[in-house]
Amino acid sequence: MADVIMKHSKAVIALWLVVLVCALPFGIKSGDVLEYDMNSMSGSSTEASDGQVIIDEHFSNSIDLSEILVISYSSSEELAAAQAIFVEFQNLMDDKYGAKTTVSNYGTYSKGDPNVEGILMIAIANNEGESWDIAHETDNIRDLVKEAKSNASAAYPEAAGLTTYVTGNDAITYDTENSSMEDVSKVDPLSILLIFVLLGLFFYAVVTAVVPPAVVGMAYGIALAAVYAIGCLMGVYYITQTLILVSMLGAGCDYAIFIITRYRDERKKGLSHEDALKTAIMWGGEAVFTSGISVIIGFAALALCDFAMVRTMGIILAIGIAIALVAALTFIPSLLNLVKDKIFWPSNIESYKRVEDKVQNGGKLGVHGHLSKGSKRYFAWLSRNTHKHSKLIAIALVVLCIPGLYIFAESEDSADMISVMPDSESVDGLDLIMTQTDGGTIMPTYIVLEMNESIATVGSLPYGGMSIPYVIWNEHGLDPATMTGAVPAVMKMTKDIDAEYEIVGSISGLNSWQIMYMTVESALGTTDPSTINQALYEQMPSAVKGYVGMILAIASGQHDLTHIDPTAFDAPWNSYVVSGYPLTDPLTVANIIDGILNVGTGILSDDGQYVSVMVITTDKPMSADTMDFLAELRSDLHDGDESYDSVYHNIWSASYVAGSSASIDDMSKDIEDQFSMIRIVVAILLIVLLFFILGSYLTPIRSIITILLSVFLTVALTHVVFEGLMDTPVLFLIPIVLFVVLLGLGMDYEIFMTTKIRENKIKGMNNDEAIDNAIKEAGPVISLCALLMGGTFLTLVLANSSMLKELGFALGMGILIDGLLMVGYVSPALMHLMGDWSWKGPGFLTRRHGLNPDGSNMAVPAACGAAPADAERIGGEMPVRAVPATPEEVAKYKQECYSEVAVRQDRIAALNAEVKTLTDNKRIGRLDEEGEKELEAKRSELKAEKESLREFQRKSREDLRSGKGQ
């Protein structure tokens, strides 16, 4: 790979730019396919979704509350002004949208006297369905509200000062979309600035600070085209676009930095540009590739979820990381090959060397020097103390995790999507509605009943441009002789539910004039039709009272439709036959009233086959109490012989609990259930990946365990901060996304550290030396990467949406805990304690990495008895040693070999670099006579090192074979 990239660097860069140019036109349109309503992205068959499908397909008169105008008033005068605003607004909407919308008075609501204080709710119905997007008309509708207030204030001065809100599902969708755009405009610049500052301080270079985020930006532009393509097929939840940006910025910059840093470190050791780049691609590239694959596995596992919101999130995040990974492995090395050391401008390799020399040997230090000195001291201290206090660190980890695990186990995640919505006019309007009326008024819960057969004949009468429904019950709906059938059964169920649960504010089920008449007759103790009719009329719900009165007036010949006199009826309403409509059964006023009460309110379907009982809870939708009620309601409907489904099996064949709260409840429970499997799949795949990459039995398991502990601690911390300090429930998605992201992105740092330790082992160090050296050399770049990625996620806490705040805090703190605490302290300490057990594995894998199956280093036996072919790689003077005679002496002897080999390898690498540089200068004619002599001297020195080391290997082999330890 290194040879191909170095040979075709210009072609690689050109190819990337061509792909970017082709992708940009589609990436620009990615915002058009984003979804902002979580309910629309279920993608899975659940009880709630099945019930909603029935409502959508069979109920033409279901109440449309997608947009609502809410007007707050605090006096009778202000109520009159609010009514005037309604009239003006209705006229303005008719002028602008015509038949596309219907504006109707949804009534006044108040926790006290509605004539004194409360709210007026005005429903704005979209008559075009999905063919017209009313959500994006929200701003225009709000402008019409302002105009209506201005017009009404001419006659009602109070109108100008009334508080109004346009809310509802579509308005919330619109405000969420705008809030998301604002969040991106705040988060993006801050993330990029943070990356630029940290990279600038780390490299003390302007170009190096610009290149990683610029390359990731190129990859992000290409990833947006994938967002658009996938969005056209299945829709993408809006949060995904924000997550993919910060994920790619964090992970992509990590990968780029790791390769650039490795190149710089090799150049500082004296390697030529070509050798340094090859080493960076070979060793750094392997670590980056392994890390990238682990992240992709974590994100791609989300695609196993049935719910479209989670599935598309996983697919897109995996694609984004894959693009960033390929860019880091190809574009960054190609750029390095072309610009060489200029990538560190205004610094250069010589200036880096001078700073290190001053740090080691003393001298005046600048900003870069002080940062470098502080970094070296910290990581030297860290390497000593993780070794020295490894047991103490392991004990501290256990002590720290006990309360974290307790909080994790005891805390309950929330499905309350309303509480995490971004601040906006629509959310303020929603809050106002819930202060003045029952919380579930605009997001009711529905009990959908699928009848064994149709329970009525449903039709409609045309009158004055309206279609007035009527219902004629059949024997399955209502048997007048026995008063049995679906109507009394549903009425009995709704009455029981209303009586059993305090959280039920109101419940609207099937109703029949005949049953109502008999009930009132019994309650009043009279058979006088006029008295009963008047009482019945007064009991009619306000939403249908006007329509009932109109029918009564028409039937009785009353001409003033605004003042109905129910006492004018001297016979029950079912005695009045509507003429002109010949049916098998005569059509009466009672049939029309039953139509208005049941079909007109969306309770009975158009074909009489389904019933939709509307339950309005006193508590707000999706709250913990509402979700508990839904669980109990479902149990009452479905579970056991005493359930409603069992008791009334001869009436209905199936029942469903639907509505926004039920949808979110189903989604949260199903996602959590599915993630029990997904977590196992991700963990197993990552363990298998690391097993083959590292060739170790235990290290992959240890890595997974440390990351899982990071997840537990982070979830506990998130609950403490948001629930304990900010009184905001933690959304159920947070632990799920955190687990997948940390198991992927957090694995980066584990892999960076572990592969560096393994590299040191391969080069001849013993386990402890390899760990200490990795902390000193890889620790600074790992810490930088953790600060970069954690910082980019933490910028999300500035978002308007509490969901993004929680995600940003959890992901950011999780990355910092894993990258700085777990990888910095815990993992090295545990590997010190595990010793060579960290590297024990099957021989066919360990030998590929220069290790024996028992975890010992093959390089050391090479110095102490390996084949000559292996011995040629290292050189140096052979020390005089006593022949080891005991197992302890053998162990000590081998330990000395580790150190000896490491020193010789560094010397050989430096000599090779010097010889290579002098040889290149000779080839292009830039070597004078003194240079020729120096080249010959260096070659002789290198040859002597190798010869001396071969003798050292032979003698060491003999010593070990003759010692008692062997």
Side-chain angles (χ1 to χ4, degrees), residues 35-78:
E35 297 283 351
Y36 296 87
D37 182 7
M38 188 180 289
N39 288 323
S40 67
M41 297 208 62
S42 63
S44 178
S45 178
T46 63
E47 179 179 337
S49 64
D50 292 343
Q52 190 61 50
V53 168
I54 293 173
I55 292 174
D56 294 340
E57 292 182 354
H58 297 279
F59 291 81
S60 60
N61 292 309
S62 57
I63 300 172
D64 183 357
L65 295 178
S66 57
E67 295 236 352
I68 303 171
L69 170 59
V70 185
I71 307 175
S72 177
Y73 63 88
S74 56
S75 66
S76 57
E77 292 79 13
E78 289 187 353

Side-chain angles (χ1 to χ4, degrees), residues 481-520:
T482 60
M483 296 305 293
T484 58
V487 176
V490 174
M491 291 180 73
K492 173 69 167 56
M493 181 188 72
T494 56
K495 182 180 179 181
D496 291 346
I497 292 173
D498 191 21
E500 182 178 355
Y501 296 103
E502 291 184 5
I503 197 174
V504 176
S506 64
I507 182 168
S508 304
L510 286 177
N511 226 324
S512 163
W513 171 86
Q514 191 161 5
I515 295 178
M516 293 171 64
Y517 190 92
M518 292 177 61
T519 303
V520 172

Side-chain angles (χ1 to χ4, degrees), residues 386-387 389-391 393-394 825-834:
T386 53
H387 189 172
H389 303 295
S390 55
K391 292 181 181 179
I393 291 173
Y825 290 82
V826 175
S827 293
L830 293 179
M831 294 186 77
H832 274 300
L833 292 174
M834 292 167 64

Side-chain angles (χ1 to χ4, degrees), residues 443-570:
M443 292 184 184
T445 295
Y446 298 96
I447 303 172
V448 182
L449 305 174
E450 183 175 354
M451 297 298 163
N452 290 327
E453 51 188 300
S454 178
I455 61 175
T457 299
V458 179
S460 61
L461 301 175
Y463 180 82
M466 295 186 300
S467 181
I468 302 175
Y470 67 82
V471 167
I472 301 176
W473 303 111
N474 59 33
E475 62 180 4
H476 305 291
L478 178 63
D479 186 337
T482 60
M483 296 305 293
T484 58
V487 176
V490 174
M491 291 180 73
K492 173 69 167 56
M493 181 188 72
T494 56
K495 182 180 179 181
D496 291 346
I497 292 173
D498 191 21
E500 182 178 355
Y501 296 103
E502 291 184 5
I503 197 174
V504 176
S506 64
I507 182 168
S508 304
L510 286 177
N511 226 324
S512 163
W513 171 86
Q514 191 161 5
I515 295 178
M516 293 171 64
Y517 190 92
M518 292 177 61
T519 303
V520 172
E521 182 182 43
S522 176
L524 295 179
T526 180
T527 58
D528 178 40
S530 297
T531 303
I532 297 173
N533 287 338
Q534 182 176 8
L536 273 178
Y537 181 73
E538 294 302 327
Q539 288 183 10
M540 292 290 170
S542 58
V544 300
K545 202 170 190 178
Y547 295 101
V548 172
M550 181 183 67
I551 295 300
L552 292 174
I554 295 170
S556 62
Q558 298 181 46
H559 300 291
D560 186 0
L561 302 185
T562 61
H563 295 86
I564 307 303
D565 181 11
T567 62
F569 296 86
D570 55 5

Side-chain angles (χ1 to χ4, degrees), residues 316-362:
I316 289 173
L317 288 175
I319 291 174
I321 295 298
I323 295 172
L325 174 63
V326 176
L329 291 174
T330 59
F331 192 97
I332 291 294
S334 297
L335 187 64
L336 279 170
N337 192 40
L338 294 178
V339 302
K340 298 181 174 62
D341 296 345
K342 295 185 181 67
I343 198 169
F344 303 113
W345 185 90
S347 296
N348 53 53
I349 300 301
E350 293 304 319
S351 66
Y352 289 139
K353 290 181 178 180
R354 286 195 297 271
V355 169
E356 287 202 359
D357 182 66
K358 290 179 180 179
V359 169
Q360 292 178 0
N361 302 317

Side-chain angles (χ1 to χ4, degrees), residues 3 18 50 287 324 374 380 409 449 474 481 486 545 651 656 728 739 755 768 796 810 915:
D3 292 335
V18 169
D50 292 343
L449 305 174
N474 59 33
K545 202 170 190 178
I651 303 293
Y656 311 86
T728 301
F739 175 87
T755 53
D768 288 344
L796 292 176
V915 170

